[in-house]
Amino acid sequence: MYKSYSMEIGGKTLTVEIGRVCAQANGAALLRYGETTVLSTATASDKPRDGIDFFPLSVEYEEKLYAVGKIPGGFNKREGKASENAVLTSRVIDRPMRPLFPKDYRNDVTLNNMVMSVDPQCRPEITAMLGAAISTCISDIPFSGPCAMTQIGMVDGAFIVNPSQQEWDEGDLQLTVASTEQKVIMIEAGANEIPEAKMLEAIYMAHDINQTINAFINTITAETGKPKHTYTSCAVPEEMFAAIRDIVTPAEMEEAVFTDQKQVREENIRKITQKLEEAFADQEEWLEVLGEAVYQYQKKTVRKMILQDHKRPDGRAMDQIRPLAAEVDLIPRVHGSAMFTRGQTQICDIVTLAPLSEVQRVDGLDENIQTKRYMHHYNFPSYSVGETKPSRGPGRREIGHGALAEKALVPVLPSVEEFPYAIRAVSETFESNGSTSMASTCASCLSLMAAGVPVKKMVAGISCGLVTGESDDDYIVLTDIQGLEDFFGDMDFKVTGTHDGITAIQMDIKIHGLTRPIVEEAIARTRQARLYIMDEVMSKAIAEPRKEVGLYAPKIVQIQIDPLKIGDVVGQRGRTINEIIERTGVKIDITDDGSVSVCGTDRAMMDKAVEMIGIITANFEAGQIFKGKVVSIKEFGAFVEFAPGKEGMVHISKITKGRINRVEDVLTLGDEVTVVCLGKDKMGRLSFSMKDVPKSGKSV
């Protein structure tokens, strides 16, 4: 049965077609927002996957380059692995939707969103987010929808609903908010130091718009939705919980988890699990879910301690941050390094500086190839949590954490004109026990300052958690959550910013939404915490950016030349510029407007390269003095190269004051000589004189 539905969002028409394509999927919707077209499908397996204790949800965001009229590069000429943007978009779709599936559901579910056409006025990401929600709501897959998402941008202080790509890229706010019919369930933001009150205003503007979208989704679901299918529950039997409590009392479990040492807690739980395995040795069906049962027992214990007893597992107050430490310059020879420690979370960040030719090219669903001047990469090796497994490269989590720290610091980076470098920061996780992405933000800021990057302001980040009770007003907000509180709590609310405002937010939850008082308290708590971190810890490690880059970092000198003379510097087939590079060991970048960057570590060689470029691009006039080398000798004179690719002739009569019969009587190949420019001869060649050089003359 074919149905088409439309509504206006942000002044643009969203059209949803149901029943036109993909009839064999559990749910499918073809969406058009403006001329952006996305096909969203939801599928589920018939049976639960054996041997797992989690919900196997997979969210895919597929960027098809035909959507923007491009043929993929490379040998195969087809799309390869997902881009960083595709991974991040998949995560933004996953985070609000995952909590709305049943907790005991173990069937494989895949939400696929394929971008088929892109209108720059209507971003495909928001279209895919809505498509994923709609296709799941109308499917027979158990799901507590609807949920809707809206993006808010800000240009010149004014909010824009679902901004165009240009407004999104150039504005001061990039906010995505997901909501159910009652509450906010996900926040993702990058911001140019937006004050907390302004951010709250934008969040709840998006939340209000989401309610109109939810009503729209309800209409579609009522008319086209399938009955939800039944499934095999993987919940732990209540009689098993009762038996476990007889063997391990609540007091024993509380004692096991009440410690600030992660290793001690894990050992305590290992002993409890071993004890239960021995007790249930003859009950195979219980042994299959014992891991989940112990997890649930820990969860109930921790939540009861926090919510009812107001006790955190490590004994901290609800708003207390774990012990902090910060230092810089711990790694020799790198361009900048810093380590930030918060409890059992420890990040070492290393900064590398390079000329602008090293910027990252990003080819995606955009009309032009974009570049990234600042790159932040995050690594999470298994040893950081005391495990052993081979490294297989960055996964979605690593990409997401790196992008969040990158987003946090971009607003305070100097402009290209102020600091003409490409910058890469790498956060190595040495130890992890909660919120490594926020520790990465702090470590990266310190490392940038130590490297001599003139960041405008200091940035710090912190995460708040949440434990909720039976009612909306029964909750506890926790500052600086550790791993256990994250695993067993209801929220991970990360906020980064300066003294003046927010630069990034990432919030995901495990429950069906947050009330406004919770959001307001979390934002207020994170502000208080990040100010403390900056003032009491980070500023004591390094108070301001160093005035110069380090000894081993490349130095960059920028000069401006006439754009019409770029060809003279480059030379035929790059001969001239390559000669300069070979002689001096520098790197040279030239832009179309005549901006030249000379990069190197040897200041003398950099100055020599600048001198050569200055000579090559000079407007040659009589009286200018040059130093050069004899490169060719003829009967009528000698040719002197005074810069790579630049030669002038000294006539035999201009070599010495007295008469000579042969040029070779005075000059040999390779001689270093000083000459004065006489202008150009009839053939347009530069004419030089050695005998007319004034004694006090200085070379150009």
Side-chain angles (χ1 to χ4, degrees):
M1 179 178 64
Y2 172 74
K3 288 274 189 176
S4 180
Y5 304 86
S6 296
M7 73 172 293
E8 293 293 312
I9 310 175
K12 292 162 279 194
T13 301
L14 173 70
T15 300
V16 180
E17 295 181 276
I18 308 296
R20 185 174 184 182
V21 296
C22 303
Q24 296 188 51
N26 296 65
L30 185 65
L31 283 79
R32 290 189 178 88
Y33 192 33
E35 292 185 326
T36 292
T37 304
V38 176
L39 172 63
S40 295
T41 59
T43 53
S45 61
D46 294 332
K47 297 179 180 179
R49 192 195 301 182
D50 292 333
I52 61 170
D53 57 0
F54 60 92
F55 169 44
L57 172 65
S58 176
V59 178
E60 305 296 334
Y61 175 79
E62 296 186 15
E63 296 175 320
K64 300 295 185 179
L65 289 187
Y66 57 67
V68 289
K70 292 182 181 179
I71 294 176
F75 181 78
N76 289 326
K77 295 298 179 185
R78 65 181 299 153
E79 289 82 3
K81 69 176 185 178
S83 69
E84 184 173 295
N85 179 68
V87 170
L88 297 175
T89 303
S90 297
R91 284 171 56 85
V92 171
I93 297 171
D94 182 298
R95 294 208 313 273
M97 294 189 66
R98 185 177 291 270
L100 301 181
F101 290 91
K103 295 185 184 301
D104 59 343
Y105 194 49
R106 297 294 180 267
N107 296 44
D108 285 282
V109 173
T110 299
L111 308 182
N112 188 281
N113 304 277
M114 184 168 65
V115 181
M116 305 185 74
S117 175
V118 175
D119 176 351
Q121 298 302 309
C122 301
R123 302 186 68 245
E125 290 87 349
I126 189 65
T127 312
M129 294 172 194
L130 294 173
I134 292 170
S135 61
T136 307
C137 283
I138 66 172
S139 75
D140 61 344
I141 302 170
F143 184 70
S144 300
C147 66
M149 298 185 213
T150 297
Q151 293 184 325
I152 302 292
M154 188 171 75
V155 176
D156 297 329
F159 292 136
I160 301 172
V161 177
N162 289 353
S164 67
Q165 190 64 53
Q166 183 175 356
E167 292 167 334
W168 183 260
D169 292 337
E170 298 177 1
D172 291 322
L173 178 63
Q174 298 178 343
L175 172 68
T176 303
V177 178
S179 310
T180 62
E181 292 176 286
Q182 293 83 28
K183 300 174 183 177
V184 171
I185 54 175
M186 192 278 299
I187 303 170
E188 177 94 8
N192 188 12
E193 293 186 274
I194 301 294
E196 280 74 6
K198 193 76 172 175
M199 182 66 78
L200 280 165
E201 182 185 348
I203 289 169
Y204 280 92
M205 177 183 179
H207 178 64
D208 291 341
I209 295 168
N210 282 339
Q211 300 319 304
T212 64
I213 301 172
N214 278 326
F216 176 65
I217 296 174
N218 276 335
T219 299
I220 297 173
T221 305
E223 295 185 14
T224 65
K226 302 174 183 177
K228 299 302 182 183
H229 65 230
T230 58
Y231 64 94
T232 302
S233 173
C234 294
V236 178
E238 279 300 322
E239 59 271 24
M240 182 178 179
F241 272 126
I244 289 174
R245 280 191 289 267
D246 288 339
I247 300 168
V248 180
T249 66
E252 289 176 304
M253 180 58 81
E254 186 170 323
E255 183 180 354
V257 300
F258 196 90
T259 174
D260 61 354
Q261 293 294 317
K262 180 181 176 183
Q263 297 94 326
V264 173
R265 183 184 307 112
E266 290 176 346
E267 177 61 20
N268 292 342
I269 297 303
R270 187 193 66 79
K271 290 178 179 178
I272 285 175
T273 303
Q274 184 177 10
K275 182 178 180 180
L276 292 171
E277 286 174 343
E278 293 171 357
F280 301 148
D282 58 346
Q283 294 176 282
E284 187 174 341
E285 68 281 2
W286 283 11
L287 288 176
E288 291 178 357
V289 294
L290 181 59
E292 176 69 11
V294 173
Y295 171 87
Q296 292 294 338
Y297 198 1
Q298 288 183 78
K299 182 174 182 178
K300 290 178 181 180
T301 302
V302 170
R303 293 174 67 86
K304 178 260 182 186
M305 288 167 58
I306 293 172
L307 196 60
Q308 297 180 20
D309 305 335
H310 290 193
K311 290 168 57 180
R312 298 179 73 168
D314 57 5
R316 282 183 291 148
M318 300 302 159
D319 61 351
Q320 185 179 353
I321 304 173
R322 287 173 288 174
L324 300 168
E327 60 180 298
V328 297
D329 303 332
L330 69 156
I331 309 295
R333 300 190 70 88
V334 299
H335 301 165
S337 65
M339 188 162 70
F340 184 84
T341 306
R342 190 182 61 248
Q344 289 184 295
T345 292
Q346 188 176 66
I347 297 290
C348 179
D349 189 89
I350 294 94
V351 163
T352 305
L353 305 177
L356 291 171
S357 58
E358 298 294 323
V359 298
Q360 182 180 5
R361 291 163 55 90
V362 182
D363 190 7
L365 297 186
D366 199 288
E367 292 179 346
N368 302 305
I369 295 176
Q370 302 295 313
T371 59
K372 279 177 62 174
R373 171 197 173 210
Y374 175 60
M375 300 151 277
H376 188 286
H377 298 147
Y378 165 97
N379 296 315
F380 188 82
S382 59
Y383 59 72
S384 66
V385 288
E387 297 176 354
T388 175
K389 63 179 179 180
S391 174
R392 302 298 186 197
R396 291 190 172 193
R397 180 181 183 276
E398 285 83 354
I399 291 172
H401 279 25
L404 178 59
E406 180 178 294
K407 191 183 297 182
L409 288 157
V410 164
V412 302
L413 293 177
S415 66
V416 172
E417 291 73 25
E418 295 171 306
F419 194 70
Y421 285 87
I423 309 164
R424 180 182 184 234
V426 180
S427 290
E428 304 289 0
T429 305
F430 283 177
E431 189 176 6
S432 173
N433 188 17
S435 199
T436 49
S437 61
M438 295 296 91
S440 294
T441 300
C442 299
S444 300
C445 183
L446 294 170
S447 187
L448 288 166
M449 294 167 70
V453 179
V455 294
K456 300 169 188 175
K457 297 175 185 177
M458 189 174 281
V459 176
I462 197 72
S463 179
C464 275
L466 175 74
V467 176
T468 56
E470 297 299 323
S471 62
D472 285 349
D473 58 357
D474 183 18
Y475 66 88
I476 292 286
V477 174
L478 307 170
T479 299
D480 179 25
I481 54 173
Q482 59 173 312
L484 190 75
E485 294 165 335
D486 185 7
F487 300 151
F488 300 145
D490 297 322
M491 175 182 79
D492 186 3
F493 200 127
K494 305 182 183 81
V495 183
T496 70
T498 65
H499 281 82
D500 298 322
I502 293 169
T503 59
I505 296 178
Q506 187 178 95
M507 184 208 83
D508 52 84
I509 59 175
K510 301 171 187 174
I511 54 176
H512 290 193
L514 303 180
T515 62
R516 182 161 185 157
I518 294 174
V519 175
E520 291 177 346
E521 183 174 349
I523 287 179
R525 286 275 199 95
T526 54
R527 174 177 172 77
Q528 180 184 22
R530 77 170 186 267
L531 295 184
Y532 174 82
I533 292 169
M534 288 187 285
D535 295 341
E536 299 300 323
V537 182
M538 293 174 64
S539 62
K540 293 179 180 178
I542 183 168
E544 60 183 20
R546 292 195 169 124
K547 302 302 181 185
E548 295 182 352
V549 298
L551 175 64
Y552 299 103
K555 317 301 185 290
I556 294 179
V557 174
Q558 283 193 308
I559 59 174
Q560 191 70 32
I561 65 172
D562 184 344
L564 297 178
K565 295 194 174 183
I566 293 175
D568 293 340
V569 177
V570 175
Q572 187 176 16
R573 296 182 180 178
R575 175 175 172 242
T576 302
I577 195 169
N578 287 332
E579 180 72 15
I580 298 173
I581 292 170
E582 184 177 341
R583 291 189 190 183
T584 61
V586 302
K587 290 184 178 180
I588 301 174
D589 295 323
I590 306 177
T591 60
D592 292 339
D593 64 355
S595 177
V596 181
S597 294
V598 178
C599 176
T601 55
D602 187 326
R603 177 63 70 173
M605 288 294 100
M606 293 172 63
D607 291 342
K608 185 175 180 181
V610 170
E611 179 185 5
M612 290 177 180
I613 294 170
I615 293 172
I616 292 169
T617 57
N619 293 315
F620 300 106
E621 298 175 356
Q624 291 176 323
I625 298 172
F626 301 98
K627 288 183 178 180
K629 181 172 68 173
V630 177
V631 294
S632 177
I633 294 177
K634 306 294 183 184
E635 290 183 5
F636 51 83
F639 286 91
V640 175
E641 183 187 61
F642 57 95
K646 287 290 182 180
E647 298 177 2
M649 189 192 77
V650 181
H651 191 269
I652 190 172
S653 64
K654 299 294 182 181
I655 294 176
T656 65
K657 293 190 181 293
R659 179 181 175 84
I660 59 174
N661 295 320
R662 297 171 63 248
V663 174
E664 291 89 338
D665 292 341
V666 178
L667 298 175
T668 57
L669 289 176
D671 282 353
E672 300 283 344
V673 296
T674 301
V675 296
V676 62
C677 182
L678 302 177
K680 294 186 178 181
D681 61 20
K682 294 180 181 180
M683 299 177 64
R685 298 175 302 186
L686 285 173
S687 180
F688 288 154
S689 171
M690 290 172 57
K691 73 177 185 179
D692 296 315
V693 176
K695 292 183 179 180
S696 60
K698 293 183 178 180
S699 62
V700 173

